Amino acid sequence: MLSPHCHMMPMEWPVNGLHWQDLLVDSPECAMPDEASAWRVSSLLLDELSMRSWPPDVVFWSSLGSAYSGAGKWQLALWALLEAPRAAHLEPNVVSYSSAMTACERVSLWEMVLNLLVEAEQLPEKANAFSYSSAIVACGQVESGWQRALALWSQMISASQPSPNVVAFNATLTALERATCWQLACSLLEQFEDQTRSNLPLTPDALSYSAVATACPWPLGLWWLLRAREKRELKAGPGPWSCLARKMGHDRAWQEALQLLSGPIEGDRLGEVWCSVMWAMEVSGFTSEPPFRVRRDRVHQSKEFSLLDFIVTRVPRGDLSALLATVKRFAGEKEWLKVAGGSKARLLQAVLRPGDRILELGCFVGFSALLMVQRLRRLGGGGKVITCEVNAVSAFVARELIRWAGAEAEIEVRVGLAGDWIATGQLGVPDVVILDHRGARYHEDLLALEPMREHARIIADNVLSPGAPLFLNFVDERYAIAIHEVDEFLRARADWDFFTDPCSQCLVSSWALQLKLIGCVGAAV
């Protein structure tokens, strides 16, 4: 059996009374890692164990498998969770199987998840509720999987073990919501609202109501949330109301979405709902700005407003080059900003061509968008940047900076989730797509963009740090890609930018990508 580093692993190590946790004290390279590099640190630890002839136990293999799972490396996760322990004469337990199912569920391998669930049912301790939850989530990710998800939930209800929990319940509701089976979702929620009727100790939570509110036509979704509030089953948090506002936006019911701001939401959380309300207004054709007390919230987003004040007091209006230089100066002298400076900026500008139509997912304060406009102007003018930003306050600051730079005719800032804007079909056909929002969403949004971006060049930022492991699994053997190792702006930390050009032949094979990942362990830790 090959290890992740492609050399033979000694599986029968002598027991000497020491444990693998002791190595953490002796290995400076294994200091607490961030999520993006956890699997690399675990691989280093595995090699260290091999050299010291210390035997890993089931707990270690489970931890290693979970690290691989979190990185989207489901093959390595299955090896660590199931194959390696068996080769070392250790029997995987139900936790190992649950982790293996989660690894496969994260990359939408629902059939493999179901096969693992069948194997877990043969264990002495049987599959637990988390195992069933992984299976239900995996089934809900495919178009026709909701029937299987509902059948698994029914199996949990009818059997004495495992005991149904709210995680599996919400996964079932989400599967029904994705399949637009809102009548079934409503029926299921109604059944478990009344615990005396369901005979189960299960109380729906905010995620339960969010799933049903999103699945239903918005008037019915509003009814559900108001009903839950009256029964005091729903706290005054923003989650369900934000989901409802987004649903209203898809139906162009922006006036009704606007009225949600006067609802029972805690004052310090109102800004989260306002982001969804702004999306509902803008997708309906109404440009909006956050209310004064939200947009000047100097407690929660003081950095962005400090930047705005810094710019308008030092940069002449309309001077784009001076504005970009001053943003970098602010990041160096005042507060660091996660913007595309240095080698990232050079790569971003190098891929542009005259007249490019650019779609950027993740605007922040608009620095990258302005950087691309500067390059387009130097190429002769023309082109346009559409940039999406989920945070309404960041979008407000970006718009102010874009106006100050005199680039409002060339950049359009859209407030809302990238996935919501993609679903509307209002983003046009881009020549360049920039992924710079949330790494966990890269693969889903890129998949949603595929029908409209057949000939587009794609750049994905922050692939190594903070990381986009599911995206790595998605593009592997699917796209012709080039990997650019770049430095994080004003940080002694390496990062990766992925670039794909439909006309390029720069294919990185699966094994080449794996070796490249392993080779960057030292840079990432």
Side-chain angles (χ1 to χ4, degrees), residues 382-398:
K384 189 176 181 65
V385 179
I386 295 178
T387 179
C388 301
E389 173 56 49
V390 68
N391 187 292
V393 180
S394 295
F396 169 80
V397 172

Side-chain angles (χ1 to χ4, degrees), residues 97-428:
Y97 271 94
S98 297
S99 299
M101 292 169 65
T102 298
C104 295
E105 172 261 308
R106 283 174 169 169
V107 291
S108 303
L109 297 174
W110 64 276
E111 290 179 321
M112 187 170 291
V113 172
L114 293 180
N115 291 335
L116 290 170
L117 179 61
V118 172
E119 292 184 25
E121 283 291 338
Q122 308 306 315
L123 297 174
E125 63 267 43
K126 299 292 184 183
N128 58 25
F130 294 103
S131 304
Y132 273 83
S133 298
S134 295
I136 292 172
V137 170
C139 292
Q141 292 175 349
V142 296
E143 185 175 352
S144 59
W146 66 269
Q147 298 99 327
R148 290 178 179 268
L150 192 58
L152 288 170
W153 173 253
S154 300
Q155 184 177 337
M156 293 183 71
I157 296 298
S158 60
S160 58
Q161 292 292 334
S163 178
N165 61 10
V166 72
V167 176
F169 179 67
N170 289 341
T172 306
L173 289 175
T174 301
L176 295 173
E177 177 258 315
R178 289 182 174 178
T180 65
C181 298
W182 60 269
Q183 297 94 334
L184 287 173
C186 289
S187 176
L188 191 61
L189 180 58
E190 186 176 14
Q191 176 185 354
F192 286 93
E193 271 193 323
D194 187 352
Q195 294 188 22
T196 59
R197 177 182 167 189
S198 66
N199 296 319
L200 287 172
L202 192 156
T203 303
D205 60 11
L207 291 178
S208 311
Y209 287 100
S210 296
V212 172
T214 305
C216 297
W218 69 261
L220 184 56
L222 178 60
W223 178 84
W224 272 110
L225 296 188
L226 292 176
R227 167 180 161 139
R229 183 189 67 178
E230 291 173 359
K231 297 176 67 174
R232 296 187 177 181
E233 294 180 357
L234 187 66
K235 295 182 180 180
W241 303 99
S242 293
C243 290
L244 181 61
R246 290 172 53 213
K247 179 71 174 180
M248 290 173 169
H250 282 287
D251 291 339
R252 307 299 187 268
W254 67 271
Q255 299 97 329
E256 291 79 4
L258 193 59
Q259 293 177 11
L260 295 179
L261 295 175
S262 59
I265 306 165
E266 297 172 358
D268 61 343
R269 307 296 296 277
L270 185 62
E272 296 181 38
V273 180
W274 180 254
C275 294
S276 297
V277 173
M278 285 186 67
W279 135 257
M281 296 178 67
E282 295 195 4
V283 76
S284 303
F286 293 86
T287 302
S288 57
E289 298 290 359
F292 181 79
R293 67 187 181 90
V294 174
R295 75 185 188 212
R296 300 306 293 186
D297 184 355
R298 294 180 177 272
V299 175
H300 297 293
Q301 289 192 263
S302 59
K303 180 190 293 188
E304 287 85 341
F305 287 110
S306 295
L307 170 65
L308 182 58
D309 294 340
F310 193 80
I311 293 294
V312 299
T313 57
R314 290 166 174 80
V315 177
R317 185 183 291 270
D319 193 336
L320 174 56
S321 296
L323 189 147
L324 291 171
T326 306
V327 171
K328 292 188 287 186
R329 176 185 165 193
F330 177 90
E333 297 178 2
K334 300 296 183 180
E335 296 183 79
W336 182 73
L337 298 169
K338 190 171 179 56
V339 295
S343 55
K344 288 191 176 185
R346 291 189 291 273
L347 175 63
L348 186 62
Q349 291 186 319
V351 303
L352 300 184
R353 301 169 187 168
D356 270 341
R357 296 161 297 177
I358 303 164
L359 172 61
E360 181 187 39
L361 306 184
C363 175
F364 189 34
V365 294
F367 180 85
S368 295
L370 289 167
L371 195 68
M372 290 185 285
V373 164
Q374 182 187 58
R375 177 60 177 169
L376 289 174
R377 289 178 179 179
R378 291 173 178 173
L379 291 173
K384 189 176 181 65
V385 179
I386 295 178
T387 179
C388 301
E389 173 56 49
V390 68
N391 187 292
V393 180
S394 295
F396 169 80
V397 172
R399 284 172 173 166
E400 291 295 302
L401 293 178
I402 290 166
R403 292 190 191 104
W404 197 262
E408 60 267 36
E410 298 151 288
I411 303 174
E412 186 176 334
V413 179
R414 305 278 184 95
V415 178
L417 287 172
D420 285 336
W421 279 111
I422 293 169
T424 67
Q426 296 184 14
L427 298 178

